[in-house]
């Protein structure tokens, strides 16, 4: 069996100012999966979302399960333009997003996310982008008109299969 | 044996400069495949990870699929799940099962959509421990039937893992579909 | 760009059970930390146990929110400790829990987030698994991580591995 060292940092940004989103562009097609880490704060409490290749249409959907500290809840958002991959607030939190087989030009794209915001909820989700296009850009955004806070970090890693 | 207060971890010297390596990949071709096998798994890592997208020829939507180790298909496993169905959060578990949970898979009632899975198997070479897997998995179909889950399983054997087989649960399809992809990684420790 | 997922240190419990596992002098050269943990505790009061994580020898300023499945029901709660599920000595023999803790930006001058997925396994319907969202409200860089086990000890063959991940 072939063995290859992998888990490569592709790009990182540390937010300056108060943008509502940030885009990773020109993502190389040489990896198999992408791992996106969103760590930091926002101007208020809201979901973070992703969009691929500039697609702002309602071509996404999400199934999620979360605990709010009192109840365990599951829900679904269908035909949305902003699939949630986390919850961000004025307190530090982290989301880890696994984007599987992102450069596959045959399948729709599935992503698994873990949301961690201690003050609000802990969650996991699976999202679907109904496109067979290879992912070449990832926009990471704050919903509800809120913005990322300076110092928040967004990092993209690539994992290459044998 | 008298417990001691604590232990200090040993530092990684000389440094292992990168600990995450790809081992092998199975990409399902045009004819489909009934099982996915990783054999002759090297013993040089501490942990294994499988990252996969999976679809089958089952006529339904979302269902679990199975993993067995070292060819053991006897009732030497157990599994548990915490999941969201899109309408309810729930949990379940079973003892004395003949397989571990590998993740959720999409049937062919929803086109172009594959289930996603990340499987972690720690200490797979350790001959003093039964083997515990932990899985984050999910499938969304833009409608009813999607699931997101944390699955865990145990294989009641102290044998070092040298092979992994992924298969469909009886009654839920016979073939993994083309473009399903399963990548095995090793993590040094 | 170079790959990044490096083993920093590891720990395996020997014949004498231990009350804690300690990673000290953690280098500041990475961006995030990943801790992979396989623990069986000496606890016999209940079937399950927890692996508690603390930083820099601090016993204060921890909060966490949990989503847990018990093998038959799902629930959620909060705590002033950050932990993951693991096995006790009442669980099926030779069976150890499985957990991963992810700590981003561990050297940044911000409060520290912790994400954990964890599972106790047991040859029975009942076993706990779940997700943890933790926060250590302290802006100090993390240079030490201590794992403990809810008043019990980690048994022989329990392991913990600390990895560093460096961003671009």
């Amino acid at each position: 069996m072939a063995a290859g060292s992998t888990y490569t940092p592709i790009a990182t940004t540390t937010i300056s100012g108060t943008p509502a989103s940030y885009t990773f562009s020109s993502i190389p097609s040489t990896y198999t999966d992408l791992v996106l880490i969103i760590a930091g704060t926002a101007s208020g409490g809201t979901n973070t979302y992703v969009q691929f290749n500039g697609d702002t249409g309602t071509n996404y959907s999400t199934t999620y399960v979360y605990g709010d500290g009192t109840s365990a809840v599951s829900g679904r958002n269908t035909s949305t333009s902003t699939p949630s991959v986390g919850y961000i607030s004025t307190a530090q939190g982290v989301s880890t997003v696994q984007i599987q087989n992102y450069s596959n030009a045959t399948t729709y794209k599935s992503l698994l996310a873990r949301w961690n915001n201690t003050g609000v909820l802990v969650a996991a989700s699976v999202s679907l982008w109904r496109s067979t296009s290879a992912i070449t850009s990832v926009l990471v955004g704050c919903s509800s008109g809120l913005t990322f806070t300076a110092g928040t970090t967004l990092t993209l890693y690539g994992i290459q299969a044998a | 044996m008298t417990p001691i207060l604590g232990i200090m971890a040993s530092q990684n010297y000389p440094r292992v400069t990168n600990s995450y390596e790809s081992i092998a990949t199975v990409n399902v071709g045009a004819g489909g495949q009934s099982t996915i096998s990783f054999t002759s798994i090297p013993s040089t890592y501490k942990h294994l990870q499988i990252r996969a997208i999976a679809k089958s020829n089952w006529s339904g939507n979302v269902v679990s699929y199975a993993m067995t180790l070292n060819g053991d298909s006897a009732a030497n496993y157990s599994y548990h799940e915490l999941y969201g169905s899109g309408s309810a959060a729930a949990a379940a578990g079973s003892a004395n099962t003949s397989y571990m949970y590998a993740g959720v898979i999409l049937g062919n009632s929803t086109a172009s959509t594959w289930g996603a899975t990340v499987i972690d198997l720690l200490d797979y070479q350790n001959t003093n421990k039964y083997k515990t897997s932990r899985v984050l998995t999910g499938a969304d179909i833009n409608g009813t039937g999607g699931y997101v889950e944390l699955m865990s399983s145990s294989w009641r054997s102290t044998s070092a893992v040298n092979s992994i087989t992924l298969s469909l649960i009886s009654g839920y399809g016979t073939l993994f579909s083309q473009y399903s992809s399963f990548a095995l990684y090793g993590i040094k420790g | 760009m170079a790959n990044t997922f490096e083993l920093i240190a590891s720990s395996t419990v020997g014949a004498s059970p231990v009350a804690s596992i300690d990673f000290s002098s953690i280098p500041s050269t990475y961006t995030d930390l990943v801790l992979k943990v396989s623990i069986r505790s000496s606890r016999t009061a209940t079937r399950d146990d927890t692996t508690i994580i603390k930083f820099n020898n601090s016993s204060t300023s921890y909060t966490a929110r949990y989503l847990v499945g018990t093998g038959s029901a799902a629930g959620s709660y909060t705590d002033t400790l950050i932990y993951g599920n693991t096995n006790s000595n009442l669980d099926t023999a030779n069976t150890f829990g499985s957990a991963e803790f992810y700590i981003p930006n561990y050297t940044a001058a911000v409060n520290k987030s912790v994400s954990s997925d964890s599972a106790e396994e047991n040859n029975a319907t009942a076993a706990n698994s779940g997700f943890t969202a933790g926060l250590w409200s302290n802006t100090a860089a993390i240079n030490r991580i201590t794992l403990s086990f809810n008043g019990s000890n980690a048994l022989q063959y329990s392991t913990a591995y600390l990895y560093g991940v460096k961003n671009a």
Side-chain angles (χ1 to χ4, degrees):
Chain A
M1 292 187 179
S5 187
T6 186
Y7 209 106
T8 307
I10 297 173
T12 297
T13 190
T14 300
I15 297 291
S16 61
T18 54
S21 67
Y22 177 83
T23 299
F24 292 98
S25 57
S26 302
I27 296 171
S29 61
T30 47
Y31 303 100
T32 308
D33 300 337
L34 298 174
V35 179
L36 170 66
I37 308 294
I38 306 168
T41 57
S43 54
T46 189
N47 291 101
T48 51
Y49 67 92
V50 293
Q51 290 174 335
F52 302 122
N53 296 9
D55 184 359
T56 59
T58 54
N59 297 315
Y60 307 86
S61 51
T62 301
T63 299
Y64 55 84
V65 62
Y66 70 83
D68 62 8
T70 302
S71 303
V73 179
S74 181
R76 181 173 289 124
N77 296 320
T78 56
S79 297
T80 177
S81 60
T82 54
S84 296
V85 294
Y87 192 88
I88 197 166
S89 70
T90 55
Q92 288 288 327
V94 57
S95 291
T96 59
V97 187
Q98 315 284 336
I99 307 169
Q100 309 282 76
N101 291 71
Y102 73 101
S103 62
N104 186 310
T106 304
T107 63
Y108 289 170
K109 305 305 179 287
S110 292
L111 42 152
L112 299 168
R114 280 277 287 108
W115 318 7
N116 303 279
N117 193 289
T118 304
V120 179
L121 57 75
V122 57
S125 65
V126 56
S127 295
L128 179 70
W129 179 41
R130 297 189 308 284
S131 170
T132 57
S133 297
I135 292 173
T136 59
S137 72
V138 179
L139 179 149
V140 186
C142 291
S143 299
S144 306
L146 298 181
T147 59
F148 289 113
T149 304
T152 292
T153 61
L154 310 176
T155 305
L156 198 62
Y157 297 92
I159 297 175
Q160 185 170 16
Chain B
M1 188 73 67
T2 303
I4 59 179
L5 182 60
I7 56 174
M8 302 290 287
S10 62
Q11 297 295 321
N12 175 21
Y13 291 117
R15 279 180 58 208
V16 178
T17 53
N18 197 70
S19 303
Y20 193 100
E21 294 188 352
S22 59
I23 298 174
T25 302
V26 177
N27 294 310
V28 179
Q33 209 162 316
S34 59
T35 60
I36 308 297
S37 294
F38 295 104
T39 60
S40 302
I41 296 172
S43 60
T44 47
Y45 303 99
K46 285 294 184 186
H47 318 302
L48 298 175
Q49 185 176 83
I50 295 174
R51 305 176 67 91
I53 58 168
K55 190 175 183 64
S56 77
N57 62 352
W58 179 50
S59 59
N61 278 331
V62 180
V63 70
S64 303
Y65 66 111
M67 179 167 75
T68 52
L69 306 180
N70 290 14
D72 184 359
S73 58
N76 294 320
Y77 304 90
S78 56
Y79 53 63
H80 299 83
E81 55 183 339
L82 165 65
Y83 64 90
S85 64
S87 57
S94 290
N96 299 312
T97 60
S98 57
Y99 53 83
M100 310 169 95
Y101 272 151
V104 294
I105 189 168
L106 255 296
N108 63 13
S109 65
T110 304
S112 307
T113 305
W114 274 248
T117 289
V118 178
I119 304 170
D120 282 290
L121 188 63
L122 305 185
D123 288 338
Y124 74 103
Q125 284 289 305
N126 194 306
T127 55
N128 296 294
K129 304 163 80 161
Y130 290 170
K131 307 306 180 287
T132 301
S133 66
R134 179 173 34 83
V135 182
L136 182 65
T137 185
D140 184 275
I141 59 171
N142 193 38
T144 57
Y147 280 80
V148 58
E149 306 210 21
L150 175 67
M151 297 171 159
S152 63
S153 302
S154 173
W155 178 41
R156 295 190 303 284
S157 170
T158 56
S159 297
V161 175
N162 53 55
S163 72
I164 297 174
T165 302
L166 305 171
S167 59
L168 302 171
I169 295 172
S170 178
Y172 296 99
T174 58
L175 293 174
F176 287 100
S177 302
Q178 187 182 17
Y179 307 118
S180 296
S181 178
F182 304 84
L184 177 67
Y185 300 88
I187 300 167
K188 299 177 183 176
Chain C
M1 200 166 290
N3 297 318
T4 176
F5 195 102
E6 294 186 3
L7 177 70
I8 297 173
S10 64
S11 180
T12 300
V13 178
S16 295
V18 299
S20 64
I21 295 174
D22 206 69
F23 295 91
S24 62
S25 303
I26 296 172
S28 61
T29 47
Y30 301 98
T31 310
D32 302 340
L33 296 175
V34 178
L35 193 58
K36 294 182 184 284
V37 176
S38 173
I39 301 290
R40 182 180 180 87
S41 82
S42 60
R43 182 179 178 83
T44 55
T46 60
R47 186 205 74 244
D48 59 304
D49 205 345
T50 54
T51 300
I52 302 165
I53 187 168
K54 291 184 178 177
F55 306 112
N56 295 8
N57 211 29
S58 170
S59 58
T60 61
S61 305
Y62 299 97
T63 51
R65 202 163 294 257
Y66 297 89
L67 173 63
V68 175
T70 64
S72 57
S76 182
Y77 55 90
T78 60
D79 205 329
T80 54
L81 290 173
I82 303 172
Y83 49 81
N85 301 289
T86 197
N87 280 43
S88 78
N89 216 14
L90 277 187
D91 281 307
T92 303
N94 305 312
T95 307
F96 291 68
S98 175
E100 180 164 313
F101 296 86
Y102 195 97
I103 306 153
N105 298 334
Y106 71 102
T107 66
V110 297
N111 293 335
K112 304 303 182 292
S113 300
V114 181
S115 172
S116 180
D117 297 358
S118 62
E120 166 208 6
E121 258 301 317
N122 190 34
N123 189 33
T125 300
N128 291 347
S129 59
F131 302 121
T132 304
L135 185 70
W136 182 45
S137 295
N138 191 311
T139 59
I142 292 173
N143 54 53
R144 182 175 181 178
I145 294 175
T146 304
L147 303 177
S148 59
F149 316 101
N150 196 21
S152 58
N153 301 302
L155 296 175
Q156 187 177 23
Y157 311 122
S158 294
T159 56
Y161 304 84
L162 181 65
Y163 298 89
V165 181
K166 186 155 180 60
N167 66 9

